[in-house]
Amino acid sequence: MPSPTLHQSCTKIVATVGPACDSPEQLAELITAGVDVFRINTAHGEIPDHEKKVVAIRQASEQTGTPVGILLDLAGPKIRLGELFCDPLQCDVGMELTFLRDGEPTTAHEVTASYPKLIDELRPGNRVMLADGLVALEVVSVDRSRAVCRVTAAGEVRSRQGINLPGVKLSVSALQRKDIKNAIWAADHEIDFISLSFVRTAEDVYSLKSVLSAHDCEALVIAKIEKPEAMENLEEIVNVADGIMVARGDLGVEIDVAETPMAQKRIIDVCKEKIKPVIVATQMLESMHHSARPTRAEASDVANAILDGADACMLSGETAVGDHPVKAVQMMSRIMQFTEKSLRHDMSDRTITNRVHPITTAVTYAATNIAEAIGAAMIIIATKSGGTAWVKSKSRSLIPTLGVSDCPETLRRINLFWGIKPRRVSQMEHPALIRAEVCDWAKGKGYLKTGDRIVFVSGSGVTENAHNSVVVHTVE
């Protein structure tokens, strides 16, 4: 099976693994179609199930010869309905539903929740949203044993569907006991990215980082923005996280759905300012669960996320349980490639990030400008940790760029950086040998030809922990 080409989309594709694509062969097809990072959703299944997915992903990576990243998505304190007495239950406007503290429902109008403190934290007048906001309730009364709610927006609900409480300040921690167990497992299995659900403050991110640090784990922590409190504390959260996910499913229920597009733009803008990769997620190609083509609105949604500055877009049910997982990835890649043609390299931005040496930042910006000025065929960045590639990704230069390293973990993490393709090299000590090795490979693949110019960024060793060398090389 052929590996993905250097000329696929610069915006990265995150795809969720599920029953529709969990064999090594199916995953290899998705890699070839353009997937850069696979997401494992811990809200479904237990650790043995996650382990099977990791094994299958790494087998697919070997089959295609392409390093792909793995993102473990921690479930967090997602509140869900218990088992309904009548399943499904049609909720009509004016109907009353009663949440019970203890026991099981004995009538169709009684329900339970997975969050034991729900009754304690509800007040008359609070809103309760069920099934991703399809059904809306208003709390009428609360006593020690129950909360009575009235339906204000009708719809059908099923057992175990989600409950959202817009405007209700919950005391529950973002990092649950099961999340800690999954995070420790991820640390032991060299997972590349770990996302934390229902983040409200920077302290939530620090909590997860502390767990990972205690287990010598260098996975990048992705904070999911899906609560109003997260929007209030956005800059502090972006500062401490390694990346951000715009989790529009719950965010669009927790805040007014009309506010969601501008919230997405604000989140992306803050991430651009602070040089943090940002993933836009949820319902991007929702109709492709069953249709072989997306709606025009969905295609526009993907394109607008790219124009806003997203580093990656995520597919959820489209690949996990959909009828056309490969077609969904191919379609997303096509939309990305057409949209990226309208992007322009930003030569004015000189933002400094504390993730890399300031000399590295300056040299990387200069190298990109040189490559644009001379019409270089390729940029090659030799990187140990991936930090230099991180800076380069912000420029949105469309010149094909390789992040080369001899560290497998670095190569997998590079997959989340816009416009950077990972390539393994045999050694990192001698820049001239790295350059020769990569050029030979690229010529063999047809990416370079005689007379092409490349810009090569590396360290000379003069400045410790910094890339301070730019070489312009003409392919012989």
Side-chain angles (χ1 to χ4, degrees):
M1 180 177 293
S3 62
T5 72
L6 186 62
H7 299 289
Q8 283 183 331
S9 61
C10 293
T11 310
K12 300 308 181 80
I13 298 176
V14 181
T16 304
V17 181
C21 66
D22 56 5
S23 73
E25 292 72 27
Q26 291 168 316
L27 294 167
E29 283 190 79
L30 293 183
I31 294 171
T32 302
V35 170
D36 302 283
V37 176
F38 284 110
R39 168 180 174 252
I40 298 174
N41 185 3
T42 62
H44 305 289
E46 301 297 331
I47 282 178
D49 305 304
H50 311 330
E51 192 148 4
K52 288 178 184 176
K53 291 184 175 74
V54 169
V55 170
I57 291 167
R58 289 180 173 158
Q59 288 177 353
S61 178
E62 288 181 12
Q63 285 182 28
T64 60
T66 304
V68 292
I70 299 177
L71 184 153
L72 192 77
D73 194 345
L74 302 180
K78 178 71 173 180
I79 304 174
R80 296 185 181 276
L81 289 167
E83 294 298 322
L84 298 176
F85 185 83
C86 179
D87 192 6
L89 174 64
Q90 176 61 38
C91 299
D92 297 318
V93 172
M95 184 176 110
E96 287 191 346
L97 282 182
T98 299
F99 283 92
L100 304 177
R101 182 189 295 274
D102 301 308
E104 296 298 322
T106 57
T107 72
H109 289 214
E110 293 179 337
V111 294
T112 58
S114 62
Y115 181 43
K117 294 183 179 180
L118 179 64
I119 307 299
D120 298 325
E121 300 193 342
L122 288 178
R123 300 287 182 272
N126 285 161
R127 290 185 299 145
V128 179
M129 312 294 282
L130 307 179
D132 289 333
L134 177 66
V135 176
L137 314 174
E138 182 179 349
V139 180
V140 176
S141 65
V142 183
D143 61 27
R144 195 197 68 78
S145 61
R146 61 186 59 214
V148 178
C149 304
R150 182 179 296 114
V151 177
T152 58
E156 184 180 86
V157 296
R158 296 178 180 274
S159 298
R160 308 297 302 161
Q161 284 190 312
I163 301 173
N164 290 88
L165 306 168
V168 178
K169 302 291 185 181
L170 298 177
S171 58
V172 63
S173 169
L175 196 60
Q176 299 289 286
R177 182 176 300 177
K178 184 178 180 181
D179 297 325
I180 295 172
K181 182 180 177 182
N182 282 323
I184 293 171
W185 173 83
D188 293 337
H189 287 75
E190 297 182 347
I191 300 301
D192 308 294
F193 311 97
I194 301 176
S195 57
L196 181 60
S197 298
F198 302 106
V199 170
R200 286 165 290 186
T201 67
E203 291 303 318
D204 294 333
V205 180
Y206 279 128
S207 297
L208 176 55
K209 287 197 167 189
S210 295
V211 172
L212 298 177
S213 177
H215 290 80
D216 297 321
C217 177
E218 296 184 356
L220 301 185
V221 172
I222 309 297
K224 295 172 67 176
I225 306 299
E226 49 195 336
K227 298 285 289 182
E229 298 97 312
M231 294 300 299
E232 293 168 10
N233 301 311
L234 183 61
E235 296 214 3
E236 294 87 348
I237 292 170
V238 176
N239 275 334
V240 301
D242 299 309
I244 295 294
M245 182 185 294
V246 188
R248 304 182 304 178
D250 282 288
L251 182 63
V253 178
E254 292 278 346
I255 66 174
D256 188 334
V257 67
E259 298 177 33
T260 308
M262 295 312 297
Q264 173 177 312
K265 288 178 182 293
R266 182 186 162 213
I267 295 166
I268 293 174
D269 283 345
V270 173
C271 289
K272 286 163 64 178
E273 176 190 337
K274 298 181 182 296
I275 317 186
K276 299 292 178 76
V278 55
I279 306 166
V280 175
T282 316
Q283 297 179 332
M284 301 222 74
L285 298 177
E286 180 76 3
S287 66
M288 291 193 75
H289 272 76
H290 303 296
S291 171
R293 290 176 60 83
T295 66
R296 291 166 180 81
E298 288 165 346
S300 296
D301 183 32
V302 174
N304 282 322
I306 296 163
L307 294 172
D308 286 346
D311 293 88
C313 295
M314 192 175 95
L315 296 166
S316 301
E318 300 95 328
T319 53
V321 295
D323 296 335
H324 311 285
V326 175
K327 287 183 178 179
V329 174
Q330 291 172 334
M331 177 56 69
M332 181 169 271
S333 183
R334 285 178 57 202
I335 297 167
M336 288 173 169
Q337 289 181 66
F338 276 106
T339 306
E340 287 164 359
K341 292 177 183 177
S342 67
L343 298 179
R344 293 291 178 267
H345 166 52
D346 185 357
M347 298 180 67
S348 61
D349 196 296
R350 291 292 181 273
T351 305
I352 300 296
T353 172
N354 59 8
R355 296 199 67 91
V356 299
H357 198 290
I359 292 176
T360 298
T361 302
V363 167
T364 305
Y365 285 142
T368 307
N369 290 342
I370 290 169
E372 290 281 343
I374 66 174
M378 184 181 293
I379 300 171
I380 300 170
I381 296 174
T383 179
K384 273 287 187 184
S385 67
T388 313
W390 190 312
V391 174
K392 161 63 180 67
S393 72
K394 190 177 186 295
S395 72
R396 293 305 192 257
S397 168
L398 291 175
I399 294 174
T401 303
L402 288 177
V404 302
S405 181
D406 59 358
C407 176
E409 293 80 11
T410 294
L411 293 171
R412 295 196 300 266
R413 286 196 291 265
I414 281 174
N415 276 292
L416 197 56
F417 303 158
W418 192 97
I420 313 291
K421 298 293 183 182
R423 176 69 192 168
R424 188 165 189 172
V425 291
S426 58
Q427 57 82 38
M428 292 287 287
E429 285 71 34
H430 304 289
L433 295 180
I434 299 172
R435 191 165 64 244
E437 181 179 341
V438 175
C439 284
D440 287 345
W441 169 82
K443 285 192 290 184
K445 290 287 187 179
Y447 299 140
L448 292 176
K449 63 183 185 299
T450 301
D452 280 344
R453 292 170 176 162
I454 66 168
V455 174
F456 181 74
V457 182
S458 66
S460 67
V462 173
T463 303
E464 189 175 358
N465 298 322
H467 281 59
N468 61 345
S469 172
V470 178
V471 174
V472 178
H473 177 73
T474 302
V475 178
E476 297 176 353

